Amino acid sequence: MNDFARPIFLEDKLPEIRDSGRLDYRSKTLPTWCPGCGYFAIVDGVTTALKREGIANHEAVIVSGIGCSSRFPFFVNTYGFHTLHGRALPVATGVKTANEALTVVAVGGDGDGFAIGGGHLPHACKRNVNITYLLLDNGIYGLTKGQTSPTSAQGFRTPTSPYENPDRPLNPLLMVLAYGASWVGQAYAGRPAQLLDLIRQAIAHRGFSYLHILSPCVTFDKTNRTYGNLDLQVRDLPAGHDPSDLQVAMAEAMNQEAPALGVYFRQERPTLGQALDSLVDKASGSRKHLAR
Amino acid sequence: MSAVTEAKPKIVVCDGNEAAAWGVTLASVDMVAVYPITPQSSLVEYLAKFVAEGKLDAEIVDVEGEHSVLSVLQGGALAGARVYTATCGPGLAFMFEPYIRTPGLRLPMVMGIVTRDTLTPQSVWGGHQDAMSVREVGWIQMYCETVQEVLDTTIMAYRIAEHRDVMLPVNVCHDGNYLSYGAARVELPDGAATREFLGPPSVNWHAALDPERPMAVDPLTGGAGGPGPRMFVKYRKGHCRGMQNALRVIEEVHEDWAARFGRRHAGLVERYRMDDAEYAIMTLGSMTGAAKDAVDEARSQGRKVGLVKVKTYRPFPVRAVVEALAGVQAVGVVDRSVSFGWNGGPLYQDALAALSGALRRIPAMSFIGGLAGADLTVDHFHRVIERTARLAQDGQPGETVWLNEND
């Protein structure tokens, strides 16, 4: 069941929107996504999370790749950069490394992050660069009108696999856990309250946080990853799930038939910025030379 | 979506992307690698459909990005397959590393460029800047004017690429938006006749993964530690010779195409109403249609103007261009892209270089229009004709004219 199963009335919704303060973070550009797209909930989640975490507009940077989800920076009133297809993570790494004071959120889709840009993810994870990566997974190339993506189901029919998709989908959560991400979670655009909570945790985490967000493409996928199907498939992680146990997290990630929502894994370890600083300390004995 | 008419089964109405897919199908390509990108996406979707429907007996590899697309095709070509892909804009840019290596490997293949203006500013619309940005790295590049020409050239390109004296990859460029999505009546050549025209795929055996003749392809060549500079120079000169041979082969192939299928396209350079022309405009790609209309109108008003369309842009047909322009007093060159640092268009630059070999000075001027999908209309070409007429009078080329500056 998703949060939209019951009717929502405007007069109830408006005070909630006003009180959330999230409109402070919305640009004057209205999202160009299709009506019903799950990404609207993610814009609401990010803007509300920034407000609640007390991060000012000028302290936040949203870096995106190319794709429907990568239109994200247009719709929020923070710093933003619409980079090249697949290149959000290296650009975000550059921004954060140059200015640790900024809160850097990379946004991209399943094609952007796991097809054309798949080579960057292991390195962002292992370096533990202190950014948040929101992976908006609709299982399809929406911007180019609905072709097969690396997370499309086997047997799925699209214009580039008109008979059926012969490939197995990737398992992104298992990959990032193996790559060494220090915070790994999964949310569903149909459950915005939980989504908001997870976005807040991901942003607050010190280190590389990876939040996988399942979201339907309401225009080009009428059969597979629909709200109806996702409602039936998703579950919460079991009560008492220990997010410090990598093996348990991996075991949960292996269940792709019933994707679990929540924080899979969490670990405190030095970030890329801290590692670079301590390297200088080690090499020079102190950081006094930087004060000159 | 094609509409096959009942009465004449070999006529279809389709857009340029579908025409390219028909060309690939008729060329009996063995392997296609794809990654969708606007405005190419429907082209590879048609190919996926034709493979799924059994029209094209090919392996289709749906990979994770353009860098992999061309790498997969290099492997396929080395293993003896006739291969195809299409891309544009940022996809072509991402493909650059394997792209610059393919011609040096002398791997014959065909790649469509559904031309798109390059970033930045952000644009998903047509323009020649993508193909122009890779004009100097050794691929043959041919630009199409019509949907029919896209289909025919895609087939002819395989015979050119696989010719023993050429053995180079070919880009068949068709304009994003205008040709990719513009639909027209198209004649489909007969499959058996096309197969006979092309012959069996011709693998370049000097670089093939053949178990009968094991070899490691492309070791370090030249430099201080290798066989010395001469080996490297030998390969470079061979590549240049292949490009120059292509000028002859392209004309031969277009002649043979006309003889077999009854449709004549100019292989290198098309002359339009040039016989008694006093001045000329020069075009590339789909803009030529509107330009020809403008020339017709100007002619009906008594102006002695003609048009020279460049089809083969690399290798640049220097002789053919000079011969076509030998009788005119001035030429206005219209580019759909920019050569940064020259404040003019790339075709204009090439025309200037070619005309330096003419027996007398023929003044030329650069016009730039149609960037990022902007329309080049008959009115724009009237402005080009008018300005070029003045150039023919006074011989004074002015600053580059930006045709859509106030649109």
Side-chain angles (χ1 to χ4, degrees):
Chain A
M1 187 65 70
N2 69 53
D3 294 2
F4 307 118
R6 275 181 295 280
I8 297 168
F9 296 99
L10 192 61
E11 54 266 35
D12 301 338
K13 187 75 179 168
L14 277 176
E16 187 270 312
I17 293 173
R18 259 196 305 272
D19 296 345
S20 74
R22 63 175 177 254
L23 291 183
D24 300 349
Y25 292 84
R26 283 289 290 273
S27 70
K28 285 179 182 153
T29 307
L30 287 175
T32 46
W33 298 314
C34 308
C37 180
Y39 296 170
F40 290 95
I42 304 168
V43 167
D44 281 359
V46 169
T47 50
T48 311
L50 290 172
K51 181 73 180 178
R52 301 239 178 115
E53 294 297 317
I55 298 160
N57 303 58
H58 69 276
E59 293 169 334
V61 186
I62 309 240
V63 180
S64 70
I66 297 288
C68 279
S69 54
S70 292
R71 300 279 167 114
F72 205 98
F74 307 175
F75 314 133
V76 290
N77 185 22
T78 68
Y79 288 113
F81 185 27
H82 187 211
T83 71
L84 295 171
H85 200 13
R87 313 302 151 207
L89 284 179
V91 173
T93 300
V95 171
K96 184 68 182 181
T97 308
N99 188 347
E100 284 273 347
L102 294 169
T103 296
V104 181
V105 179
V107 177
D110 39 309
D112 198 67
F114 285 96
I116 200 160
H120 300 302
L121 190 52
H123 304 280
C125 291
K126 86 176 162 69
R127 290 181 185 127
N128 201 29
V129 50
N130 187 11
I131 61 176
T132 296
Y133 188 23
L134 303 179
L135 196 293
L136 282 52
D137 180 7
N138 59 5
I140 208 161
Y141 293 153
L143 191 69
T144 48
K145 301 186 180 146
Q147 298 85 0
T148 305
S149 99
T151 59
S152 296
Q154 197 164 19
F156 188 46
R157 291 183 183 195
T158 77
T160 46
S161 54
Y163 184 68
E164 61 174 41
N165 174 24
D167 298 342
R168 294 191 332 168
L170 290 174
N171 187 330
L173 287 173
L174 197 56
M175 289 166 78
V176 293
L177 287 165
Y179 292 159
S182 63
W183 191 99
V184 178
Q186 179 156 262
Y188 166 38
R191 292 191 183 174
Q194 185 187 29
L195 170 67
L196 167 62
D197 175 53
L198 288 166
I199 292 172
R200 286 187 69 181
Q201 289 192 52
I203 290 176
H205 175 73
R206 193 168 174 79
F208 184 78
S209 49
Y210 175 86
L211 181 60
H212 195 87
I213 307 172
L214 300 167
S215 185
C217 177
V218 294
T219 298
F220 295 112
D221 177 3
K222 307 287 190 194
T223 58
N224 187 41
R225 194 177 299 193
T226 59
Y227 281 113
N229 285 349
L230 282 169
D231 285 351
L232 294 173
Q233 288 163 0
V234 296
R235 64 190 167 100
D236 284 318
L237 280 167
H241 172 77
D242 176 8
S244 68
D245 190 331
L246 183 61
Q247 285 192 355
V248 172
M250 284 180 147
E252 287 293 345
M254 284 171 75
N255 185 351
Q256 284 182 287
E257 282 69 43
L261 308 176
V263 181
Y264 280 65
F265 184 67
R266 188 169 51 220
Q267 181 190 49
E268 293 296 327
R269 70 169 203 265
T271 65
L272 174 67
Q274 289 169 331
L276 292 174
D277 286 350
S278 71
L279 202 66
V280 176
D281 286 346
K282 254 190 245 169
S284 68
S286 77
R287 292 179 58 77
K288 278 179 188 162
H289 66 289
L290 292 176
R292 281 203 299 270
Chain B
M1 194 72 70
S2 63
V4 180
T5 53
E6 293 293 323
K8 293 177 183 172
K10 286 180 185 172
I11 307 293
V12 295
V13 173
C14 70
D15 63 25
N17 279 356
E18 186 176 351
W22 277 113
V24 173
T25 302
L26 287 162
S28 309
V29 164
D30 302 308
M31 200 172 108
V32 178
V34 303
Y35 193 76
I37 181 167
T38 307
Q40 159 263 39
S41 302
S42 63
L43 196 168
V44 297
E45 289 175 7
Y46 282 121
L47 285 171
K49 182 166 164 272
F50 291 171
V51 170
E53 290 169 352
K55 289 192 177 80
L56 170 61
D57 179 17
E59 306 300 328
I60 192 154
V61 198
D62 194 355
V63 296
E64 66 277 9
E66 289 86 356
H67 195 283
S68 307
V69 164
L70 197 49
S71 301
V72 164
L73 293 192
Q74 285 184 357
L78 285 167
R82 188 178 268 172
V83 301
Y84 179 83
T85 192
T87 190
C88 64
L92 181 60
F94 184 42
M95 193 186 266
F96 188 62
E97 193 182 15
Y99 182 87
I100 56 170
R101 236 186 131 188
T102 305
L105 287 165
R106 307 300 294 269
L107 292 178
M109 64 174 72
V110 177
M111 177 168 96
I113 301 182
V114 190
T115 57
R116 166 175 160 176
D117 225 316
T118 57
L119 317 180
T120 271
Q122 287 272 357
S123 157
V124 293
W125 302 285
H128 293 159
Q129 198 73 43
D130 52 357
M132 284 295 169
S133 299
V134 294
R135 66 191 185 273
E136 309 293 19
V137 302
W139 284 62
I140 291 168
Q141 293 188 321
M142 294 194 282
Y143 284 76
C144 298
E145 176 187 344
T146 64
V147 174
Q148 181 76 61
E149 197 176 10
V150 173
L151 194 158
D152 296 349
T153 307
T154 302
I155 298 168
M156 285 190 279
Y158 279 97
R159 199 163 128 191
I160 297 161
E162 293 173 5
H163 194 286
R164 285 187 67 88
D165 298 340
V166 178
M167 279 291 167
L168 284 168
V170 179
N171 286 144
V172 178
C173 306
H174 70 263
D175 289 8
N177 303 72
Y178 292 98
L179 285 174
S180 65
Y181 306 144
R185 173 192 180 279
V186 166
E187 290 183 34
L188 285 186
D190 175 62
T194 314
R195 278 191 294 280
E196 198 186 300
F197 168 80
L198 282 178
S202 167
V203 177
N204 189 8
W205 289 110
H206 93 264
L209 303 176
D210 177 9
E212 298 296 315
R213 293 189 312 145
M215 69 174 85
V217 174
D218 208 10
L220 277 177
T221 303
R230 74 179 59 185
M231 190 63 93
F232 196 89
V233 174
K234 181 184 166 181
Y235 280 119
R236 275 285 191 268
K237 275 186 78 176
H239 186 169
C240 286
R241 195 163 50 244
M243 289 293 269
Q244 294 312 304
N245 291 343
L247 289 169
R248 168 176 57 79
V249 172
I250 288 167
E251 290 216 288
E252 287 170 6
V253 169
H254 279 72
E255 276 302 314
D256 191 36
W257 180 267
R260 288 173 191 248
F261 299 99
R263 263 194 309 284
R264 184 172 296 277
H265 305 285
L268 303 176
V269 163
E270 181 187 339
R271 302 179 196 192
Y272 184 75
R273 306 197 74 165
M274 283 298 291
D275 283 349
D276 60 342
E278 290 170 1
Y279 53 96
I281 61 176
M282 195 184 238
T283 60
L284 196 64
S286 70
M287 68 166 89
T288 310
K292 284 176 176 170
D293 286 351
V295 166
D296 288 344
E297 287 179 15
R299 280 276 181 177
S300 69
Q301 294 156 8
R303 289 167 173 250
K304 289 198 167 176
V305 59
L307 181 147
V308 173
K309 178 187 86 168
V310 173
K311 176 174 185 177
T312 299
Y313 182 64
R314 284 293 180 272
F316 194 73
V318 175
R319 275 187 80 92
V321 166
V322 173
E323 281 167 12
L325 294 172
V328 301
Q329 302 304 316
V331 56
V333 185
V334 188
D335 275 278
R336 201 165 207 139
S337 61
V338 176
S339 172
F340 296 102
W342 277 95
N343 195 33
L347 179 60
Y348 165 68
Q349 263 185 30
D350 285 296
L352 280 188
L355 289 173
S356 71
L359 292 175
R360 61 187 173 84
R361 175 175 175 265
I362 301 171
M365 248 188 82
S366 181
F367 298 83
I368 291 173
L371 305 184
D375 201 4
L376 278 174
T377 64
V378 173
D379 284 345
H380 289 119
F381 286 103
H382 279 308
R383 280 171 56 197
V384 177
I385 290 169
E386 214 165 284
R387 183 66 189 84
T388 309
R390 221 161 11 106
L391 179 61
Q393 294 284 316
D394 61 17
Q396 301 292 318
E399 285 284 305
T400 295
V401 176
W402 297 75
L403 293 169
N404 303 102
E405 197 167 21
N406 300 310
D407 291 353

